[in-house]
Every structure is written in structure tokens, then in C-alpha cells.
Amino acid sequence: MASRVIPVDPFDLVIFGGTGDLACRKIIPGLYRRYLAGQIPPGARIIGAARADLGHDAYREMVRAAIRDHVSENKQIPETVATFVEHIHYVQLDARGVTGWKELGGLLRKGVIRAFYFSVGPGLFADLAERLVQHGLNSAGARVVVEKPFGHDLQSARELNAVLARCFDEHHIYRIDHYLGKETVQNLMVVRFGNTLFEPLWNARYVDHIQITVAETVGVAGRGEYYDRAGAMRDMVQNHMMQLLCLIAMEPPSMFAADAVRDEKLKVIRALDPVSAGDLVRGQYTRKGDIPSYREDVDNPDSLTESFIALKAHISNWRWTGTPFYLRTGKRLKARVSEIAVVFKKPPHSIFGRQGGRSGNMLVIRLQPNEGIVLNVTIKEPGPGGMRLIEVPLDMSFAETLGEDRADIPDAYERLIMDVIRGNQTLFMRGDEVEAAWAWTDPVIAAWEESGNEPLPYEPFSSGPEDALMLMHRKGRRWREIADEL
Ligand code: NAP
């Protein structure tokens, strides 16, 4: 069963930072895959912009290399690559200078959708926005895509929002969080609001707790300078994990439309209680054999920045009071996993006696690897010999349930860029959401900075510090194993 593709209208997309890592690994390969799928029309123009002295041809060569390196081989079709690169242009441009802006203006056409992707360091976001206005390129309806990190704290996020608001209408600002572009994340909304089965149980009466885990095996080498100033709380919790928490916890919006969804997410963030010191564990990975420690990776022997954090959050509203949300994320952990587990309460009484056991159901929403959704249910173990109960997964993994074609789902960036062109902001963060998330994060960070506490050490490729396990054990709960398998 082939997936349905609706071509978008012709557009001019400028990728500021078009020679950078993100552009080469994600944005350009994503655009190529959409082109291959037939979604990008003949009238589309993709313009890379950076300071490097390249002509169109050299940049097209870079684009070919990005496709070669980051698109699966079975999708590298020479004729398609050749026609795709005809859509590619390059402008040598300085975000902080005068070079290139006139040339860029010359390449942009009137009457087609115009989008600017800020794939540069966050220190340049404001410069770019202001120069676009200065050179009269922010025509009515022009969209701007802003990468993460969106600010370092509430103050800087407010300042950035203020600059963007002077240059663009909020309805044209797309603050990207690629987690929201993942198929499973959207499916989570459909599972919740497209079925009657889950929603009546989706509250503190039936849900014991919720776990959100984003674990990585990689360290921070290569991004050390940025990471050591950010840490896991700013890098993952304030944005990606907060967005996942919102989608799990929000009330049903009246419709699946940008502001209706974002209004509900905002209410969740505003209902979050402050996190107390006892409900939070910070960690830092140590050296193991040839694997350097965090402090070695960031080249800062005194660093107090966390490469791991686990915390218990509470949402004070009618639906969730009494159901904790456990969030855990870290580098150099056992496996690369992003998942949400909704752990339901145990049945109040077992009619099967001791033999039967009494475990709660669990809905696991897996973002990576193996995107999919699994519901654990209790059944009778087949065969004679009385009533022995076992837990089995009802697997809704896309590859198995929908067939290989449908499971070949677009990457998050592909989907989100096409949403920008279509003008659909539902999967992007609004300015007030980002500020509310910082308003919750800032005091937590300030409290530990004030205490001067060191993060707890943990071994690379473990599950993080012991204390993080205790955060759950204290209440008789258990984290799910950090494992590749669902
Ligand atoms: P990068 O590899 O350092 O690339 C930066 C790009 O900006 C280069 O093309 C660079 O080219 C250009 N640039 C730098 N200064 C410029 C200036 N004054 N005027 C015009 N262009 C300039 O960075 P990246 O990893 O692609 O990240 C880009 C953004 O995406 C950052 O905000 C980052 O936080 C975010 N992000 C990246 C990833 C990722 O996986 N890489 C993931 C999530 C978010 P020249 O030096 O030739 O000008």
C-alpha cells in the first residue's frame, strides 16, 4: 500500500547555514526524499546560504554528497538526483554583514511561497531576522523556521521572541522541535483522541504513573562547548521531553488545529508544579576504559553540568493530580531509546488468587528505534494446569501492522519542512509555550546552581546513577529497562 502524497505549491526555501551539519544530514536529504516522493513541484527553488565562497555548481556537488551520505541507497536514483539538484542554488552571505543580501533578493521570486530556515547557531537568529527586514525580504506571508535551542533561559527566550515578533507575524514563525514531527508522536494523538478506548482511562484514577525516557549511547564529544553550557535539562527536558509530556497530558483540543492544540499544551505547562530537590537526580558519566568521561569530552575538569537527569513532575489539575510523570534523559546510556510508557493501575482485586498475579497494563509509545505502539495485556498462559496469567504485548508497530510500504515513514524533518510550506503550525511551538517551559525550568536550574551540588557519577552504558532508580523504587515502581527491544 503506497502512501499518499499531495504536492505542495511552488516555493522558495532559503536555508541559512546551508553548508552546515544539520542542513547536510537532515534538511537536504529530507527535501530530496520529498522530491522523490513527488511532493516537491517543478517550480520549487532551494537556496543554500552561508559565508563559504561557493558557486551554484560547488554547492550542488555538496548537495549530491549529502544525498550520497545520508539517504538510503535504494532511494539514490541518479536521474532523480540530477533533476533535484537543478532546484538548488547558493548565495554567499554573511548574517552579520552586507555580503550576499542583494544577491539573495535577486533569487527570490514574487508570488511564490517564501520560507527562511535558520539552520545557523542561535547567536545569529536575531541578526538574520533583522537583516531580512532591513533588505525588505520578509514579504507578507514569508515563513521563518527557527532551530533549537530557543533561548538559554526565560529572559533570552523572551528577547528572541521579541525580535522575531518585530520582524514576522507569530503565525509565520515556526519554532521547530523535531520530536513533534515523528510519526509516533502524531499517532499518539490519534490513539488518544481517535479511539474511545483510552480516553476514559487517561487520568489519575486509572493511570499509576507515566515514564518518559530519552536515552542516548553517544557522549557529547564534538558538541562539548555548547553542551557544557546547556546540560540535559536545557538540551532535552525544556523542549523535547516537555513537548512529549504535553501531548500525553493535554485535554482534548476542540479540533486538530494549530492554536487549539497549542492552547491545550500551554495549559499543561502552566499547571506543572515546581520540582523539589528530592524529586530530581543529576548525573555525569565517568571514564570507562577508552571511553572518555564527560569532563574529558567537554574539556572542563571542574564541570558541574549534568549529562543525565531524572525527575518526578506533578501536574496540578483535575485529570492528573496524584499521577506522577517521571522524566529521564542522558548521554552514554545503555541503548538509544526514546519512549513513553503509560503505566495503568493494577486491577483492584485478583479473582485468580496468588497464582494469577496482578499486574497493571502498560501502553508503550516508542519513538525510536522501531517506532510503534505496544499495549501489554494480561492473558491466560495457554495449556492445561490451572489459571496461570502472563503478560503479552499487543503490537501496533508500524512495520508489522501496516506493511513495509506504510512503515517507510518520512523523517521528522521532512514532514515538518513540508508543513512549513503548507502553512500548518500545529507541530511547531508557539512563543508563549516556549516561555512557559523556561519559566518552569529556570527555578529548577537556579536551585541546583545555588546548592553547588555535583552531579552523581555513572558508568558509561549503564542506566544512569543508582539514585535515579531509587526515585521510582521509593514508591514501589520501576523504570522500564533501557533496551533496544520494545
Ligand atoms: P554547523 O554545522 O556549525 O553549521 C553552521 C552553518 O552556519 C554553516 O553553514 C556556516 O557556514 C553558517 N554560518 C556560520 N556563521 C555564519 C554567518 N555569519 N553568516 C551566514 N552563515 C553562517 O551547525 P549545525 O550543527 O548545522 O546547527 C545549525 C543549527 O541547528 C544550530 O542552531 C543548532 O543548534 C541546530 N541544531 C542542530 C542539530 C544537528 O544535528 N546538527 C540538531 C538540532 C538542532 P559558514 O561558516 O560557511 O558561514
Side-chain angles (χ1 to χ4, degrees):
M1 196 173 12
S3 48
R4 223 155 39 98
V5 171
I6 304 165
V8 296
D9 291 332
F11 60 85
D12 285 344
L13 169 66
V14 181
I15 310 171
F16 292 110
T19 57
D21 176 68
L22 184 69
C24 292
R25 271 192 319 112
K26 292 289 181 186
I27 303 173
I28 289 165
L31 285 165
Y32 168 75
R33 282 191 290 263
R34 289 295 88 208
Y35 180 74
L36 181 64
Q39 199 164 16
I40 294 189
R45 205 173 257 188
I46 298 161
I47 305 160
R51 288 169 308 175
D53 185 6
L54 302 171
H56 291 309
D57 288 344
Y59 187 59
R60 286 177 180 178
E61 199 42 56
M62 192 180 257
V63 165
R64 279 195 198 90
I67 295 169
R68 209 164 40 235
D69 294 344
H70 302 292
V71 172
S72 59
E73 261 180 46
N74 62 349
K75 292 197 166 168
Q76 294 186 27
I77 298 159
E79 304 78 54
T80 313
V81 175
T83 52
F84 175 70
V85 297
E86 287 170 14
H87 295 260
I88 305 282
H89 304 262
Y90 182 78
V91 178
Q92 185 185 3
L93 174 146
D94 187 349
R96 287 200 169 127
V98 288
T99 316
W101 290 95
K102 208 164 145 239
E103 290 74 9
L104 178 61
L107 273 175
L108 295 172
R109 299 164 294 173
K110 287 209 173 78
V112 297
I113 294 165
R114 188 175 287 188
F116 301 105
Y117 197 128
F118 290 4
S119 181
V120 293
L124 295 177
F125 294 165
D127 292 287
L128 285 175
E130 277 163 349
R131 274 183 175 65
L132 284 168
V133 175
Q134 207 179 315
H135 294 276
L137 302 180
N138 63 330
S139 58
R143 288 136 211 196
V144 57
V145 185
V146 188
E147 259 302 331
K148 83 166 224 191
F150 197 94
H152 184 73
D153 53 16
L154 178 57
Q155 179 62 24
S156 51
R158 273 192 182 141
E159 284 165 13
L160 181 53
N161 271 335
V163 173
L164 292 175
R166 281 202 298 277
C167 307
F168 294 89
D169 185 279
E170 178 64 35
H171 288 108
H172 298 134
I173 302 172
Y174 292 75
R175 295 174 193 78
I176 205 160
D177 184 322
H178 70 276
Y179 271 55
L180 292 181
K182 288 181 181 286
E183 182 75 13
T184 327
V185 171
Q186 290 159 70
N187 214 350
L188 160 65
M189 286 189 270
V190 178
V191 166
R192 270 194 72 186
F193 303 129
N195 298 287
T196 44
L197 191 62
F198 295 109
E199 202 44 31
L201 307 179
W202 211 261
N203 54 54
R205 188 159 175 214
Y206 295 104
V207 177
D208 179 73
H209 71 279
I210 287 166
Q211 309 183 8
I212 305 178
T213 298
V214 177
E216 294 175 278
T217 51
V218 293
V220 299
R223 297 174 66 210
E225 205 188 315
Y226 155 74
Y227 196 92
D228 205 35
R229 277 183 281 116
M233 187 75 169
R234 287 190 172 95
D235 188 49
M236 294 300 300
V237 178
Q238 185 272 344
N239 39 57
H240 304 315
M241 299 186 85
M242 179 69 77
Q243 289 296 318
L244 298 181
L245 181 145
C246 285
L247 295 180
I248 284 281
M250 72 183 183
E251 296 299 315
S254 57
M255 60 181 136
F256 188 63
D259 279 334
V261 171
R262 299 188 302 177
D263 286 346
E264 295 307 332
K265 289 197 293 166
L266 180 62
K267 286 182 206 163
V268 173
I269 305 174
R270 290 187 172 157
L272 276 168
D273 289 347
V275 179
S276 65
D279 284 343
L280 181 145
V281 176
R282 297 166 68 236
Q284 208 181 61
Y285 57 84
T286 54
R287 171 172 268 276
K288 184 179 185 186
D290 292 343
I291 308 287
S293 69
Y294 173 82
R295 289 178 179 186
E296 289 168 303
D297 272 346
V298 300
D299 199 16
N300 178 4
D302 303 317
S303 175
L304 294 179
T305 304
E306 75 286 353
S307 59
F308 173 96
I309 191 163
L311 62 86
K312 184 161 76 157
H314 292 279
I315 299 171
S316 279
N317 63 16
W318 272 51
R319 187 187 283 263
W320 293 117
T321 294
T323 296
F325 286 68
Y326 292 91
L327 275 50
R328 164 178 68 162
T329 181
K331 303 278 182 193
R332 282 270 184 260
L333 295 177
K334 249 179 171 169
R336 180 168 173 261
V337 174
S338 297
E339 66 172 32
I340 302 164
V342 180
V343 183
F344 292 90
K345 290 186 173 166
K346 293 176 180 164
H349 164 69
S350 170
I351 65 168
F352 305 107
R354 273 198 307 133
Q355 212 185 9
R358 247 178 355 116
S359 51
N361 301 110
M362 191 191 297
L363 183 72
V364 182
I365 301 130
R366 178 63 82 94
L367 278 65
Q368 65 188 19
N370 317 320
E371 286 198 57
I373 300 182
V374 164
L375 176 66
N376 281 343
V377 291
T378 305
I379 61 160
K380 176 186 172 297
E381 191 177 342
M387 281 293 214
R388 280 190 303 277
L389 308 195
I390 51 167
E391 271 181 59
V392 292
L394 278 183
D395 196 339
M396 299 185 252
S397 294
F398 301 128
E400 290 182 18
T401 314
L402 301 176
E404 288 301 334
D405 269 2
R406 292 297 296 274
D408 189 11
I409 43 188
D411 173 66
Y413 275 95
E414 281 172 66
R415 177 191 313 276
L416 292 174
I417 296 170
M418 290 299 104
D419 278 358
V420 173
I421 304 299
R422 279 198 218 95
N424 183 350
Q425 288 187 302
T426 311
L427 300 175
F428 296 82
M429 296 178 294
R430 209 168 50 192
D432 51 5
E433 265 184 89
V434 178
E435 288 186 17
W438 279 121
W440 177 76
T441 313
D442 275 3
V444 183
I445 296 174
W448 81 54
E449 281 181 351
E450 205 171 296
S451 75
N453 284 348
E454 296 226 356
L456 301 170
Y458 65 92
E459 264 214 0
F461 312 118
S462 67
S463 303
E466 268 301 293
D467 287 37
L469 305 179
M470 293 312 295
L471 199 63
M472 283 257 190
H473 287 182
R474 285 205 298 265
K475 299 284 177 191
R477 300 179 174 121
R478 258 184 329 120
W479 288 106
R480 275 171 52 80
E481 266 298 301
I482 298 178
D484 291 332
E485 293 306 312
L486 250 174

